[in-house]
Amino acid sequence: MKDNVTRVLGRLQSTFQGFTSGQKFVAVIGTGALLLAGFMVFKWAATPSYAPLFSNLAAADASAIVEELDAQGVPYELSNGGATIMVPREQVYSTRISLSGEGLPTGSESGYSLLDDQGLSTSEFQEQTSYKRAMEGELAKTIEAIDGVETAVVHLAMPQKEVFSSEQAPTTASVMVKTRLGSTLAPEQVQAVVNMVSSSVEGLTTEKVTVTDSTGKLLSAPGGEGAASTRTQQVTDFENRLNTQVQSLLDRVLGPGNSAVQVRADLSFDKSVTETTRYFGNADTALSESETTEILEGGDPNAGAGGIVGPDSEMETGTTGGTSGQNYEKSSRTSDNAVNKEVSTVEAAPGGVDGIHVGIVVDPRSPSADAAEIQDLVTAALGIDAERGDTIEVSQLAFDRTAEEAAAAELEASEKAEKSAATWTLIRNGGLAGLLVLIALVAWIQSRRRAKARAQATEYVVEQLRQEQLERQQRAALEAPAMLALETAEASEEDLVREEISSLVERQPEDVAALLRGWLVENR
């Protein structure tokens, strides 16, 4: 075994010594690369795969868990700022079970679990405090379940109920939310948090809930500012939608960068209810009819007596007489026709448009910059109504192209640099490829030369042996027959030697070639 190893090492050494400088450099670099790759693969295979043991841990829980893992000798890694502990994947479940037996992590003891330790000696103040803490913990857990929320803290201010007081202090709540990296809470999510907290606490209204984020930014404040924020967001979305429509239209007509649009909208969020009552009759339909007739016939016995009442309330008599008889007749008719009544109620939903105001600036250098046509086009596109109070103004002003030109110059320079880098990379790669091809060609030529030299050396050795054999045969023919037997034996031995030399040339051509080179040098 030792001889075989020594023989192999000797062959490798002789082969390496036969390389040129370029071949030796490539061989050394390739061997080093292979060794480095093997080391990296071995290191990757030997490194254990880690998986999360616990995530979103409090600082106290993380410290206690790390101490316990050090005591148990379990390898671990910390990530996410120390809030996540990683252990080898095959030890995750066993480690969790062992830590649970030690009561870790302890941060899960919140919410209504605080009420489990209530005893007979607990005071009323302790009961109320524990109840408030339990409510805060449960609300915080519920808020943390919202997508994008990492942690949440809830504080409730629940005043004691006054039995003999006519005014009761209201219940208030404050919520602090910390979102995950790269995410923010949408206005709908903030309003959902406000409604959820107010619905979970007795006597708490949405106007008494304050929501802030971890940076101190006010997301929702008491007094309905959250609703106002929602209305502002609706107005902004409406304006952005109109702005995008008009800008895309002008970019198609004038080209990108030749116009600027600003839209301001007045939206009405008032809810109105209109009730209308209308009466109308039907002449062909009568509900009731009544007719009255009065008739008076005959004379009056006192018809001749008559006069004028004087200043002393005395009747002045005169000689003028009246008619002896009198006829009287009166008729009246009443009809009650049917009267129909119609009551209609119209409820107008909030969010109506009270007015749209559009301002457009066009670069006069644009070939299609006609202010009148643009105004008519945008008016028709947005449905501008002058009677409603909508306004539109189109102005032609020269645009400042300094920033665009600088950006274009930087972009052009960057593209040139990228092209130059790509060209040099291509040249470098081509040069390396050419160098490798040249090295391979040189190695192939040298191998061909060596093969040719080995063949020539073999032919030379065989030819020399044949000449020596021929000379010996000629000398043997001239000598005495007594020596024939001896020569025949020697010839057979020479044949054996020649066969051994031929087999040696086939097995170790490089060694034979090196031996012949040494002989030739000595002869010279």
Side-chain angles (χ1 to χ4, degrees):
M1 181 66 181
K2 183 177 180 181
D3 296 337
N4 293 332
V5 173
T6 304
R7 190 179 300 107
V8 171
L9 292 177
R11 290 180 181 178
L12 293 176
Q13 183 178 3
S14 62
T15 303
F16 183 76
Q17 290 178 354
F19 288 168
T20 61
S21 300
Q23 292 176 337
K24 290 180 180 179
F25 176 77
V26 173
V28 171
I29 295 298
T31 304
L34 290 176
L35 292 177
L36 180 60
F39 174 75
M40 296 300 293
V41 171
F42 175 77
K43 184 178 180 181
W44 173 77
T47 303
S49 177
Y50 283 84
L53 179 65
F54 294 108
S55 302
N56 298 327
L57 291 172
D61 292 337
S63 176
I65 291 175
V66 167
E67 291 181 359
E68 187 64 24
L69 292 178
D70 290 335
Q72 296 181 3
V74 178
Y76 62 89
E77 292 181 356
L78 299 178
S79 62
N80 194 17
T84 301
I85 299 179
M86 312 280 287
V87 297
R89 188 176 299 274
E90 62 275 5
Q91 300 182 10
V92 171
Y93 301 106
S94 59
T95 307
R96 284 180 183 174
I97 293 174
S98 62
L99 292 177
S100 299
E102 299 294 333
L104 296 174
T106 60
S108 59
E109 296 181 0
S110 61
Y112 289 124
S113 60
L114 295 173
L115 304 178
D116 297 337
D117 298 333
Q118 298 291 330
L120 296 176
S121 60
T122 304
S123 63
E124 182 179 359
F125 175 76
Q126 291 177 344
E127 289 180 354
Q128 294 178 355
T129 303
S130 299
Y131 175 72
K132 187 172 72 72
R133 290 178 57 195
M135 289 288 295
E136 293 173 348
E138 291 296 328
L139 289 174
K141 289 181 180 179
T142 306
I143 296 173
E144 289 173 358
I146 298 176
D147 187 18
V149 177
E150 182 176 352
T151 57
V153 179
V154 180
H155 296 287
L156 299 177
M158 306 172 64
Q160 296 182 356
K161 294 183 179 180
E162 301 291 341
V163 179
F164 301 102
S165 177
S166 60
E167 295 182 358
Q168 178 70 30
T171 302
T172 60
S174 61
V175 182
M176 189 187 72
V177 178
K178 180 181 180 182
T179 58
R180 293 185 177 89
L181 184 63
S183 63
T184 56
L185 288 182
E188 295 81 4
Q189 292 177 311
V190 176
Q191 192 63 30
V193 171
V194 173
N195 294 337
M196 181 183 60
V197 174
S198 63
S199 301
S200 302
V201 181
E202 181 182 1
L204 181 61
T205 60
T206 56
E207 291 78 10
K208 299 299 181 182
V209 180
T210 303
V211 181
T212 60
D213 60 4
S214 58
T215 62
K217 181 180 178 181
L218 186 63
L219 303 179
S220 178
E225 295 184 7
S229 176
T230 304
R231 294 177 181 178
T232 303
Q233 185 66 31
Q234 292 178 359
V235 173
T236 303
D237 295 340
F238 181 76
E239 292 175 347
N240 291 337
R241 185 169 66 253
L242 296 183
N243 197 351
T244 302
Q245 294 176 357
V246 176
Q247 189 65 60
S248 61
L249 179 63
L250 295 180
D251 289 343
R252 188 65 179 269
V253 175
L254 304 176
N258 292 324
S259 62
V261 180
Q262 185 66 40
V263 178
R264 185 176 65 85
D266 296 332
L267 301 182
S268 175
F269 293 94
D270 298 334
K271 181 179 180 181
S272 61
V273 179
T274 303
E275 183 175 346
T276 304
T277 303
R278 186 168 64 93
Y279 298 93
F280 58 93
N282 189 357
D284 298 334
T285 303
L287 296 179
S288 63
E289 293 182 354
S290 62
E291 185 176 354
T292 305
T293 302
E294 296 181 2
I295 300 175
L296 178 63
E297 295 180 354
D300 188 358
N302 299 322
I308 301 174
V309 179
D312 297 332
S313 299
E314 294 180 357
M315 185 69 69
E316 296 181 359
T317 61
T319 58
T320 305
T323 60
S324 60
Q326 183 179 4
N327 294 325
Y328 171 78
E329 182 178 355
K330 179 184 179 182
S331 299
S332 63
R333 183 177 180 179
T334 303
S335 297
D336 294 332
N337 295 328
V339 178
N340 295 331
K341 179 181 179 181
E342 180 180 352
V343 180
S344 61
T345 303
V346 179
E347 181 176 347
V353 180
D354 289 342
I356 299 176
H357 309 281
V358 184
I360 301 175
V361 180
V362 180
D363 191 353
R365 290 177 291 180
S366 177
S368 302
D370 191 345
E373 292 182 356
I374 293 174
Q375 183 171 351
D376 295 339
L377 180 63
V378 176
T379 300
L382 296 183
I384 300 297
D385 188 0
E387 296 181 357
R388 186 177 57 184
D390 299 347
T391 58
I392 180 171
E393 182 68 25
V394 180
S395 302
Q396 292 184 344
L397 298 174
F399 282 19
D400 184 8
R401 305 285 184 175
T402 305
E404 295 181 4
E405 293 175 357
E410 292 180 359
L411 181 61
E412 184 178 0
S414 176
E415 291 179 353
K416 289 183 179 179
E418 290 180 358
K419 290 181 180 179
S420 178
T423 302
W424 282 108
T425 301
L426 183 61
I427 294 174
R428 182 190 61 188
N429 294 337
L432 292 177
L435 180 61
L436 293 177
V437 171
L438 180 61
I439 292 174
L441 181 62
V442 171
W444 179 74
I445 292 175
Q446 289 184 355
S447 63
R448 289 293 302 274
R449 289 179 179 177
R450 290 177 182 177
K452 186 176 181 181
R454 287 196 297 267
Q456 291 177 356
T458 303
E459 292 178 358
Y460 176 78
V461 172
V462 172
E463 185 66 24
Q464 292 294 327
L465 292 176
R466 287 179 181 178
Q467 291 180 0
E468 290 179 1
Q469 181 66 23
L470 182 60
E471 291 177 357
R472 289 179 181 179
Q473 289 179 357
Q474 291 177 357
R475 287 196 302 268
L478 297 176
E479 290 179 355
M483 298 297 294
L484 182 59
L486 181 60
E487 291 294 335
T488 303
E490 291 178 356
S492 60
E493 291 179 358
E494 290 178 357
D495 292 336
L496 294 176
V497 171
R498 185 172 63 253
E499 292 179 357
E500 291 181 358
I501 292 174
S502 300
S503 61
L504 179 62
V505 170
E506 293 178 356
R507 290 195 310 270
Q508 300 179 356
E510 296 180 356
D511 296 339
V512 175
L515 180 62
L516 291 177
R517 292 193 192 96
W519 289 351
L520 293 176
V521 172
E522 291 176 359
N523 293 333
R524 291 176 183 175

